[in-house]
Amino acid sequence: MIAPSSLPRLFAHAGSRPLSLEEHEVAFRRFGPLASVLDELEASGLVGRGGAGFPTTRKVQLLRSQRGHKYVVVNGMEGEPAAHKDNRLLSTNPHLVLEGATQLATMIGASRIAVCVARDNQTVVHHVEHAIHERAGEDSRGPHIDLHTPPWRYVAGEESALVHWLDDNESLPQYRPGRPHILRIGRGATLVDNAETCANVALIGRYGAQWFRSLGTPEHPGSVVVSVTGAVTRPNVLEVNLGTPIAAILAAAGADPNPQAVLLGGYGGAWLRGEDLATPYSNEALAAYQLSVGAGILAVLPREACGVVEANRVVRWMAHESARQCGPCAFGLPALADDLLDVVRGGREGIAAVARLKERCGVIEGRGACRHPDGVVRFVRSSIDVFSADIDNHLRGVPCAGARSRQRYLTVPALENEEELIWE
Ligand code: SF4
């Protein structure tokens, strides 16, 4: 058996149905006992694949220093409408995710693992349920694994909201005075990692740090799973080598080869201009544009689309997804959406709205209990910058062809009473 030293890794052996536990053990047969999985994890340089990019070992060390009952939470909520990667992973290699979670639980001394999948996604729920059932009789001394199915919402996948749900059935983010901050279920310290991070921990546990670092860049090692959406022949989930030029990833996904811009990091992320697609897909290369890989989403906007209309749709939906606990978020985000609508409509109101948008972003930023409003502010600022030509056209009363077309590119769930902008 040869270790998957090239791609695919996480999707090695993946087929049209989930691998059973027996198939998983054959496919990813251990090379041999490692001296210490924790040492290997540290040497691997793995950073979380859920969005924040926090070093996995630092989280583990923090939790190891805690006493009493502890928990591991596997975040498979996939709150971003444009993301499909964790669902794909849990539907093909669920045991890789569960094995990584078990390794993490052993490292921190946790007795329970809670796997969280949105209840709206019944297929994935079924696959995970089956995989947990298969493992139940394997090792009675190992941590107990449960499946939890919160309702799907954008903020429900935020890690403190997930822990809040497990603690008392409320999907509301919790105020965290500073990071890193230890989340708790009851009094039990809780480690939250997303499904892809757990799967990488499992592979590092089996093949070691050196193997893991044989892909990616020295600063951002390994492979990453990317959801490519927007102007693509069909939404695609690809595992790619970190450091691959973004243009090459888009080509592999059958995306528009000459797009206007690509949104990175989901709806709390920012845009990369079409001229910059030779940039390697890694945190250190993207830092030059104040961007990061984030939650592994590339949403492609073609030249014929209107960036302002698309930004308005996203911000309106993100405002709707606020948990409405904090004023800047509950009132500020709908105001940003209204301002963007004024810009779309153009004229004198639009000119005033551009000034208001900039001012509001400064007022909202950093004032929510969670990072939801900060993400929206980042997205709005980036949209104003990257689509400045579109904005100028709207302000002059000449909306672009993209605005007049009914074709939209970003995946945004429909809202009740939403007005569709139509020009005659
Ligand atoms: S910032 Fe927004 S989403 Fe976050 S806790 Fe406050 S109201 Fe909820």
Side-chain angles (χ1 to χ4, degrees), residues 155 172-174 321-326 329-330 368-373:
V155 293
L172 296 176
Q174 303 171 49
E321 287 299 293
S322 152
R324 297 187 177 82
Q325 296 188 106
C326 318
C329 190
C370 75
R371 301 254 171 99
H372 181 64

Side-chain angles (χ1 to χ4, degrees), residues 112-418:
R112 299 192 84 95
I113 296 172
V115 184
C116 298
V117 177
R119 69 178 60 155
D120 316 59
N121 201 336
Q122 275 304 308
T123 308
V124 182
V125 167
H126 172 74
H127 292 326
V128 174
E129 212 163 35
H130 183 74
I132 291 173
H133 181 72
E134 276 186 293
R135 295 179 93 82
E138 285 294 303
D139 181 5
S140 56
R141 290 163 305 162
H144 183 82
I145 308 178
D146 285 315
L147 174 65
H148 297 262
T149 57
W152 182 85
R153 287 195 61 196
Y154 187 87
V155 293
E158 197 269 344
E159 61 179 12
S160 73
L162 205 49
V163 169
H164 203 167
W165 165 267
L166 293 165
D167 203 26
D168 65 5
N169 260 17
E170 279 205 282
S171 281
L172 296 176
Q174 303 171 49
Y175 176 67
R176 288 186 277 174
R179 311 278 169 94
H181 172 85
I182 293 176
L183 296 165
R184 293 183 187 276
I185 298 175
R187 295 170 67 181
T190 303
L191 175 75
V192 185
D193 269 313
N194 101 309
E196 186 186 346
T197 310
C198 293
N200 274 297
V201 170
L203 290 179
I204 292 164
R206 285 175 178 263
Y207 303 122
Q210 203 182 350
W211 166 85
F212 180 76
R213 298 189 77 100
S214 66
L215 287 183
T217 68
E219 293 87 354
H220 201 179
S223 65
V224 67
V225 185
V226 190
S227 307
V228 188
T229 65
V232 291
T233 36
R234 65 186 167 84
N236 231 322
V237 175
L238 303 172
E239 185 179 358
V240 304
N241 191 357
L242 279 160
T244 303
I246 291 172
I249 301 173
L250 299 187
D256 180 339
N258 181 28
Q260 177 178 183
V262 176
L263 180 64
L264 274 85
Y267 294 167
W271 297 96
L272 184 71
R273 292 171 204 274
E275 301 79 76
D276 296 322
L277 296 184
T279 308
Y281 193 56
S282 70
N283 282 345
E284 72 270 22
L286 291 168
Y289 301 91
Q290 282 93 49
L291 290 167
S292 69
V293 165
I297 297 166
L298 294 176
V300 185
L301 202 68
R303 301 256 164 209
E304 60 270 25
C306 174
V308 201
V309 167
E310 297 285 352
N312 174 246
R313 295 173 62 234
V314 167
V315 173
R316 176 73 61 201
W317 184 76
M318 291 289 271
H320 179 264
E321 287 299 293
S322 152
R324 297 187 177 82
Q325 296 188 106
C326 318
C329 190
F331 303 109
L333 302 193
L336 287 177
D338 289 345
D339 289 342
L340 276 167
L341 188 58
D342 283 343
V343 176
V344 169
R345 288 182 171 138
R348 197 170 297 186
E349 262 311 298
I351 294 169
V354 172
R356 281 200 305 272
L357 274 170
K358 291 177 181 167
E359 198 184 321
R360 273 195 228 282
C361 283
V363 172
I364 294 168
E365 189 176 30
R367 305 225 4 246
C370 75
R371 301 254 171 99
H372 181 64
D374 291 355
V376 179
V377 164
R378 185 181 312 122
F379 175 79
V380 169
R381 283 183 173 146
S382 173
S383 301
I384 293 173
D385 177 33
V386 171
F387 304 121
S388 57
D390 278 344
I391 290 177
D392 286 347
N393 285 337
H394 282 261
L395 298 187
R396 285 188 292 111
V398 194
C400 52
R404 288 194 294 264
S405 159
R406 293 187 184 208
Q407 172 88 48
R408 302 288 178 251
Y409 294 91
L410 299 183
T411 308
V412 179
L415 294 175
E416 259 180 61
N417 305 323
E418 187 184 25

